[in-house]
Amino acid sequence: MKVFVLGPVPVRTGGIACTVQAWYKAAKAAVPAADLTDKQWTLISHLLPAGRGSRVRRSVDAIFAKARTGVSWPKLREEYGSTSTASKYFNEWVAQGVWAELDLALAEVERVPLPGLDLLPPTRIEGRVDPRVILSAAEPSRTGS
């Protein structure tokens, strides 16, 4: 048998599990499929602090994107702004029970499952069977069983 590694071996960075994905996994909940629409935002905005400008809304969308994609916070920074703020908000809201309320308020929103953890590189496995070692149904086992 031969195993060929065809691509790079994925590396989990940081060594710490994603707290956002861990929350969704523990809650056995799927993640909103996209950033919130204005109508969806009105369902939860009263649960959250006003924040400066659209910072709170961008943080919520960043949290959903993190759960949906599993990418690191820095990779979300360009699209969503300060991800350290989003991370801080998420931890506060979970501790206060706000995130569970928020998730419940968005129960009718289209959801997607958490992404699978892909730690195996692309591979090809080849093998062959030596016909000389195959037993037929009529032959006794070589091990005596």
Side-chain angles (χ1 to χ4, degrees):
M1 175 147 325
K2 292 181 183 179
V3 176
F4 299 91
V5 177
L6 303 174
V9 176
V11 176
R12 179 163 167 62
T13 58
I16 299 170
C18 171
T19 56
V20 177
Q21 287 189 332
W23 186 91
Y24 277 95
K25 190 173 190 176
K28 295 184 171 82
V31 183
D35 290 350
L36 299 178
T37 64
D38 290 341
K39 183 178 177 184
Q40 293 165 341
W41 177 249
T42 61
L43 297 173
I44 62 163
S45 60
H46 66 282
L47 298 170
L48 304 168
R52 287 184 11 216
S54 60
R55 178 178 283 184
V56 173
R57 184 170 179 173
R58 282 193 334 254
S59 292
V60 170
D61 285 335
I63 293 165
F64 290 145
K66 175 118 175 73
R68 264 193 315 273
T69 64
V71 302
S72 65
W73 285 116
K75 291 183 179 176
L76 296 170
R77 188 173 294 126
E78 188 175 315
E79 185 173 351
Y80 295 102
S82 176
T83 52
S84 61
T85 301
S87 177
K88 178 181 88 76
Y89 278 152
F90 177 76
N91 292 324
E92 287 176 8
W93 295 335
V94 166
Q96 297 165 357
V98 172
W99 196 257
E101 288 181 56
L102 180 146
D103 190 64
L104 187 60
L106 294 172
E108 300 303 316
V109 171
E110 180 186 352
R111 305 277 180 133
V112 295
L114 287 174
L117 187 58
D118 188 15
L119 294 179
L120 292 177
T123 58
R124 182 178 81 234
I125 301 173
E126 293 178 1
R128 65 170 225 242
V129 177
D130 186 344
R132 297 172 296 179
V133 298
I134 299 176
L135 298 175
S136 71
E139 286 184 79
S141 167
R142 292 191 180 116
T143 62
S145 44

